[in-house]
Amino acid sequence: RKVGITTLFVTHEQEEAFELGDRVAVLSRGRLEQVGSPEELYEEPATRFVATFVGRSSVLPGSWAGGSGRDAVTLAPGAAWGAAAGGVLRDGDPADLVLRPESLAFVPAGTANAVPGEVLERRFAGRSAYFIVLLSGIGEAEVLARPDSARPGDAVAVAPAADGPVPRAYPKERGT
């Protein structure tokens, strides 16, 4: 920046790319997936590959419920979690919902659109902890919360957080 020249830096280290780059290009198998700021890649991934490659994420299966004024993915237990479409989706299409750990929260049991689950694992990270939760009838999701929020073996309820990156829905990939 001091010299005022553009530099192209190639790395396989995400953290390094995000620290050094004003704009980052993500390639997969020789194909350009997305170019943008680190924030854009993390918060608005253009493809499912970018969404799952950049940062931490969970992928949950469901079906797209769009066009009713509020786009969402309906999950197996019937919960509808708001999402932005990350590809071409029609109402009822099978979809993969990609969520960041900070996009989910522990909520009281019985909360609208909450999914019950069991904490499988807790990884301490200072003021926060990452919790791996087995969601009933869906699969595993990672939740970022206070370290004292839960312990392995606890029954919990999980729902979208009030803040955090907007979950993204992508057309269901073959074989997933």
Side-chain angles (χ1 to χ4, degrees):
R1 288 184 185 130
K2 288 180 184 177
V3 181
I5 61 171
T6 299
T7 303
L8 177 63
F9 182 72
V10 178
T11 182
H12 290 94
E13 298 294 328
Q14 284 184 39
E15 193 171 310
E16 190 173 53
F18 275 40
E19 286 178 14
L20 297 174
D22 296 321
R23 293 178 47 81
V24 177
V26 176
L27 291 102
S28 174
R29 297 182 176 149
R31 180 174 173 245
L32 181 63
E33 295 281 335
Q34 185 174 355
V35 177
S37 69
E39 292 85 355
E40 289 170 333
L41 295 175
Y42 187 80
E43 295 178 5
E44 300 173 22
T47 66
R48 185 183 189 279
F49 176 82
V50 174
T52 57
F53 181 75
V54 172
R56 300 170 86 111
S57 63
S58 300
V59 180
L60 301 176
S63 61
W64 181 247
S68 59
R70 182 174 182 265
D71 292 338
V73 172
T74 302
L75 304 171
W81 288 2
V88 177
L89 289 162
R90 291 180 188 79
D91 198 37
D93 280 354
D96 286 330
L97 182 62
V98 181
L99 306 115
R100 301 292 183 201
E102 62 273 26
S103 297
L104 293 173
F106 293 125
V107 296
T111 299
N113 285 315
V115 176
E118 178 186 346
V119 176
L120 300 178
E121 186 178 318
R122 173 187 170 270
R123 284 177 269 150
F124 181 75
R127 291 183 177 211
S128 300
Y130 291 95
F131 296 87
I132 303 297
V133 179
L134 178 59
L135 297 174
S136 179
I138 302 174
E140 291 182 8
E142 189 171 37
V143 178
L144 182 66
R146 291 186 336 268
D148 61 352
S149 297
R151 297 182 315 246
D154 284 356
V156 294
V158 175
D163 54 4
V166 174
R168 311 283 284 188
Y170 300 91
K172 183 89 173 146
E173 288 190 352
R174 292 183 186 135
T176 63

